[in-house]
Amino acid sequence: MTAPLRGPGFDKLRQLADVVYDPWIEQTPLRIYGPEQLAERIAAEAADVVVVESDSVRGPVFELNLRAIASTRGDPNNVDVDGATAAGIPVLNTPGRNADAVAEMAVALLLGATRHLLAADADVRSGNTFRDGSIPYQRFRGWEIAGRTAGLVGLGAVGRATRWRLAGLGMRVIAHDPYNDEARHSLDELLAEADVVSLHAPVTDGTAGMIGAREFAAMRDGVVFLNTARAQLHDTDALVEALRGGKVAAAGLDHFVGEWLPTDHPLVGMPNVVLTPHIGGATWNTEARQAQMVADDLEALLDGGTPAHIVNPEVLAS
């Protein structure tokens, strides 16, 4: 098991199997196995079940007569599912494992950006509470989010978890998602109505770059833009221009292409932008939740049943 796991689910896994636990995220420097390295490690441990989060599972791994592969992701894109299916190996996944965590991050970015939290914190820490003879109450006034409209682009597990949180804060919440009947707005309708636009879609051929210059121009003046999904969903250059022109009043971003942002990037110098390094799902609860999901599904599989979360159930018939 190279995925980070904890809690009752991890205890259950130890009851189900002899566990070799070596989480990738606790290694310095970080360690992510390629297929050949992972296959060598599986063979060395004589393992017949592998639980991964970031390691690449394909090719030689499928030659090892595994009983199951579990990827602690909603979309197990680190696993060659077709290859596993051809080898007759069930692939388990953990959809929604970090939905609450990412939804909380979206709320945090929204409040951080609209209530100037980082700038206010910096003034306190640097002894500039009364910067240039002004008082904080003058410099950091903002609009309340209660009574405003939030538009969610994507209404999967994270979008739904974000929806009830924003509704609980007094916001009207609308959504666009062609795969969810509860989302009744087209993208154009959402952009025309929303005071806050928050992205929660997966990156696909149809969604990559879906928010570009045209879409930013179609948003309401003074909109707040949030992306806790993937940076590939929006055109960053277009966002910068929208921020410079005032169309977008503030932004909160939890992901960047390549997993980092150059220190000389225009976004870095913008005080109305909150930037976090892809930590939306980084909670202990996420690790406990994914452990429980894997444990329950592995138990079902070993008992001859059908796991609740399996991406290739057709292998069970064989």
Side-chain angles (χ1 to χ4, degrees):
M1 297 183 177
T2 62
L5 306 166
R6 66 182 57 246
F10 191 26
D11 294 338
K12 182 175 182 177
L13 283 168
R14 291 186 181 277
Q15 295 170 2
L16 290 171
D18 295 326
V19 171
V20 178
Y21 182 58
D22 187 14
W24 72 277
I25 202 169
E26 295 181 9
Q27 309 302 315
T28 302
L30 286 178
R31 181 205 67 213
I32 298 179
Y33 287 136
E36 292 77 13
Q37 294 169 310
L38 182 61
E40 290 176 4
R41 183 68 190 277
I42 293 170
E45 302 291 355
D48 55 7
V49 174
V50 60
V51 182
V52 299
E53 183 175 59
S54 295
D55 300 322
S56 181
V57 186
R58 57 191 70 247
V61 176
F62 303 140
E63 301 171 6
L64 299 176
N65 197 31
L66 293 174
R67 298 181 67 178
I69 296 165
S71 173
T72 57
R73 296 167 175 256
D75 174 12
N77 55 17
N78 60 323
V79 179
D80 174 7
V81 176
D82 290 340
T85 302
I89 305 171
V91 178
L92 310 177
N93 65 330
T94 56
R97 60 167 183 145
N98 63 0
D100 286 327
V102 178
E104 288 183 2
M105 177 60 74
V107 174
L109 289 174
L110 174 58
L111 295 175
T114 58
R115 296 307 302 270
H116 315 293
L117 298 185
L118 297 186
D121 176 87
D123 277 0
V124 172
R125 293 175 186 272
S126 63
N128 287 305
T129 297
F130 302 102
R131 181 183 293 276
D132 300 326
S134 67
I135 64 172
Y137 205 95
Q138 292 172 308
R139 300 195 306 279
F140 298 124
R141 283 174 293 178
W143 293 104
E144 296 172 8
I145 61 173
R148 300 277 175 146
T149 297
L152 308 182
V153 180
L155 202 57
V158 176
R160 294 192 302 273
T162 304
R163 178 175 59 179
W164 69 257
R165 285 171 168 83
L166 296 181
L169 292 172
M171 300 193 77
R172 170 180 173 250
V173 184
I174 59 177
H176 166 68
D177 188 330
Y179 303 100
N180 190 320
D181 292 339
E182 296 179 25
R184 298 184 175 90
H185 282 65
S186 68
L187 181 58
D188 287 343
E189 290 170 340
L190 181 147
L191 298 179
E193 293 183 35
D195 301 296
V196 175
V197 174
S198 187
L199 304 191
H200 303 284
V203 177
T204 67
D205 290 341
T207 63
M210 68 185 301
I211 304 297
R214 186 191 76 84
E215 287 73 26
F216 283 117
M219 295 180 189
R220 302 189 68 179
D221 291 343
V223 69
V224 178
F225 179 74
L226 307 175
N227 189 347
T228 53
R230 290 293 188 274
Q232 290 86 344
L233 295 173
H234 72 260
D235 181 330
T236 300
D237 291 339
L239 172 59
V240 169
E241 291 306 310
L243 284 159
R244 284 173 172 164
K247 167 63 77 167
V248 175
L253 308 172
D254 187 46
H255 188 257
F256 313 101
V257 176
E259 300 292 341
W260 71 291
L261 191 68
T263 56
D264 60 353
H265 194 280
L267 288 172
V268 174
M270 294 182 171
N272 55 339
V273 179
V274 179
L275 308 168
T276 54
H278 199 184
I279 57 172
T283 67
W284 306 120
N285 310 74
T286 293
E287 295 179 4
R289 195 174 295 114
Q290 64 194 26
Q292 191 67 59
M293 296 172 76
V294 170
D296 291 345
D297 282 347
L298 185 59
E299 180 181 47
L301 187 66
L302 296 177
D303 287 344
T306 301
H309 311 103
I310 178 170
V311 298
N312 57 347
E314 60 270 26
V315 303
L316 300 182
S318 59

